[in-house]
């Protein structure tokens, strides 16, 4: 009996060690990346036009069926709403690319629209904060969806103490390293496009 208990304790210790180790590796330090640091000085209104142009172009590369007008409209909304909620617009646009491939009418189970807002998880409070969004159907409109999705992301950022990787896990609803990696990649690609546009 004592031997079995000893083996079980060792096994538990190994599992805990592996969990802690993988947890440490899972978070790559989004805010420590060169792309994030570059954007720290380029989130002001001064760079709004360039950011919108980059997002609009990027949206169309990820969804070639998207019209220039729609892409520009989504990009303008993302930039304005992100500034209102003190979010990095390229973080929001990256979520849109990952979640819906920039498809405003995208539906997946209980998730709706550009940012794939989960109505089952959030439907109880959304109408209180956003009185015009009384049903999931309303989330299939770009403005409403980006407002609600960005609000959820802002709350996730606050809950995570500003840790972007953990905020992405909260937004997603679970720890999915491949999800964060995709967001990082899309974010970095947009920052690269902005650098080229600004010539620095």
């Amino acid at each position: 009996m004592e031997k079995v208990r000893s083996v079980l304790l060792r096994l538990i210790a190994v599992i805990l060690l592996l969990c802690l180790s993988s947890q440490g590796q899972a978070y790559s330090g989004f805010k420590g990346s060169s792309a994030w640091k570059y954007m720290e000085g380029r989130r002001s209104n001064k760079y709004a036009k360039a950011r919108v142009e980059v997002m609009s172009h990027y949206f169309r590369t990820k969804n070639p069926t998207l019209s220039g007008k729609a892409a520009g409209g989504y990009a303008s909304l993302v930039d304005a709403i992100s500034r209102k909620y003190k979010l990095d617009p390229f973080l929001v646009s990256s979520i849109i690319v990952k979640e819906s491939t920039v498809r405003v009418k995208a539906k997946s189970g209980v998730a709706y629209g550009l940012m794939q807002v989960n109505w089952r998880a959030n439907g109880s409070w959304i109408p209180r904060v956003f009185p015009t969004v009384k049903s999931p159907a309303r989330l299939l409109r770009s403005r409403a969806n980006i407002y609600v999705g960005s609000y959820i992301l802002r709350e996730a950022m606050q809950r995570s103490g500003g840790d972007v990787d953990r905020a992405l896990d909260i937004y997603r609803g679970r720890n999915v390293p491949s999800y964060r990696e995709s967001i990082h990649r899309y974010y970095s690609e947009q920052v690269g496009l902005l650098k080229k546009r600004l010539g620095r």
Side-chain angles (χ1 to χ4, degrees), residues 72-106:
Y74 300 161
S76 295
L77 281 170
V78 167
D79 203 74
I81 294 167
S82 295
R83 279 186 280 121
K84 177 177 179 174
Y85 288 141
K86 295 182 171 44
L87 295 169
D88 187 307
F90 287 170
L91 183 60
V92 175
S93 60
S94 297
I95 289 172
I96 287 172
V97 169
K98 176 61 180 172
E99 290 285 356
S100 68
T101 321
V102 204
R103 290 177 298 120
V104 72
K105 302 292 186 187

Side-chain angles (χ1 to χ4, degrees), residues 99-187:
E99 290 285 356
S100 68
T101 321
V102 204
R103 290 177 298 120
V104 72
K105 302 292 186 187
K107 283 194 275 185
S108 178
V110 293
Y112 296 81
L114 291 167
M115 296 184 74
Q116 287 293 277
V117 174
N118 186 320
W119 184 260
R120 182 183 293 159
N122 302 288
S124 61
W125 63 262
I126 287 174
R128 289 198 307 270
V129 179
F130 300 95
T132 61
V133 185
K134 298 185 187 304
S135 71
R138 189 75 182 187
L139 291 172
L140 298 176
R141 299 184 184 186
S142 57
R143 178 181 293 274
N145 192 277
I146 295 169
Y147 257 110
V148 175
S150 296
Y151 183 91
I152 293 169
L153 181 61
R154 184 191 71 172
E155 296 299 299
M157 288 288 285
Q158 290 175 351
R159 284 174 57 193
S160 71
D163 185 315
V164 182
D165 292 284
R166 290 184 188 276
L168 289 171
D169 281 351
I170 294 168
Y171 187 89
R172 184 73 174 86
R174 64 183 191 272
N175 181 330
V176 184
S178 61
Y179 179 84
R180 294 194 304 275
E181 286 163 13
S182 295
I183 300 293
H184 291 199
R185 185 171 69 255
Y186 300 148
Y187 182 89

Side-chain angles (χ1 to χ4, degrees), residues 27-45:
Y27 295 104
S28 58
F30 201 110
K31 289 182 87 169
S33 71
S34 59
W36 187 269
K37 288 178 181 174
Y38 177 83
M39 286 301 292
E40 284 176 349
R42 290 160 185 87
R43 294 187 188 115
S44 66
N45 287 346

